[in-house]
Amino acid sequence: MVVDEFTHECLVIDVASSIRSGRAIEVLSRLVSVHGSPKYLRSDYGPEFVSRAVLKWLTALNIDTAHIDPGKPWQNGTNESFNGKFRDECLSMEWFRNRIDAKITIEQFRRQYNEIRPHSSLGQLTPVEFKQKLSSTNNLELAIS
């Protein structure tokens, strides 16, 4: 899963039995093409994020890495908060019959989290509303200056 630390928007939850570096690059490339390159990618020391292929891909796009120290989840508070909500409100509540069922249900949760569920840390806006408000404010500032 990838969560934007600023808007708290969950950009993707990739449902697979395992995710190797090639798959991580594929998912991240899709996100970069839609949302642009982030300044950095914060991740744990999972094998898919410390592989040479991913590090080479990040370097080519001039994306810095910010690894989370083992045993220090507070260094990734936004993602840890999302993980808790995802586990409590989706994974613990559902019984997936197969991977397709899991993909559909998890995508529904992701959309609800982004588009319907208000977040206290965003002034009771959804991540999508917060992002839209931010975009309109930035566009207004650009138009004024």
Side-chain angles (χ1 to χ4, degrees):
M1 84 186 59
V2 178
V3 178
D4 182 308
E5 289 185 345
F6 187 70
T7 66
H8 297 219
E9 181 181 15
C10 177
L11 302 174
V12 69
I13 301 174
D14 192 39
V15 178
S17 57
S18 68
I19 299 176
R20 294 189 168 25
S21 61
R23 180 67 180 167
I25 291 169
E26 180 183 324
V27 170
L28 293 170
S29 293
R30 201 169 356 125
L31 290 175
V32 166
S33 71
V34 172
H35 301 282
S37 292
K39 291 182 182 180
Y40 62 91
L41 176 74
R42 185 181 314 280
S43 69
D44 59 16
Y45 281 96
E48 67 275 17
F49 291 112
V50 294
S51 73
R52 288 187 183 131
V54 170
L55 294 175
K56 183 178 177 181
W57 180 82
L58 290 168
T59 301
L61 291 177
N62 200 27
I63 301 172
D64 290 330
T65 57
H67 288 290
I68 303 156
D69 293 329
K72 296 187 178 176
W74 57 86
Q75 293 177 343
N76 195 17
T78 302
N79 201 28
E80 290 297 320
S81 175
F82 177 83
N83 285 341
K85 289 169 182 60
F86 180 44
R87 181 182 52 254
D88 294 345
E89 299 172 19
C90 183
L91 299 179
S92 295
M93 304 296 286
E94 301 291 338
W95 184 269
F96 305 118
R97 293 183 302 259
N98 52 47
R99 191 172 301 152
I100 292 170
D101 183 36
K103 285 182 179 187
I104 292 167
T105 303
I106 289 169
E107 179 60 17
Q108 288 172 340
F109 170 82
R110 188 189 73 80
R111 288 178 177 266
Q112 183 266 346
Y113 179 87
N114 288 335
E115 299 169 8
I116 298 169
R117 187 179 193 280
H119 296 253
S120 59
S121 61
L122 301 175
Q124 296 304 319
L125 297 173
T126 68
V128 168
E129 290 169 333
F130 181 76
K131 191 175 182 179
Q132 288 171 343
K133 184 177 178 181
L134 187 66
S135 293
S136 66
T137 302
N138 286 344
N139 290 340
L140 181 62
E141 288 175 4
L142 290 174
I144 293 171
S145 36

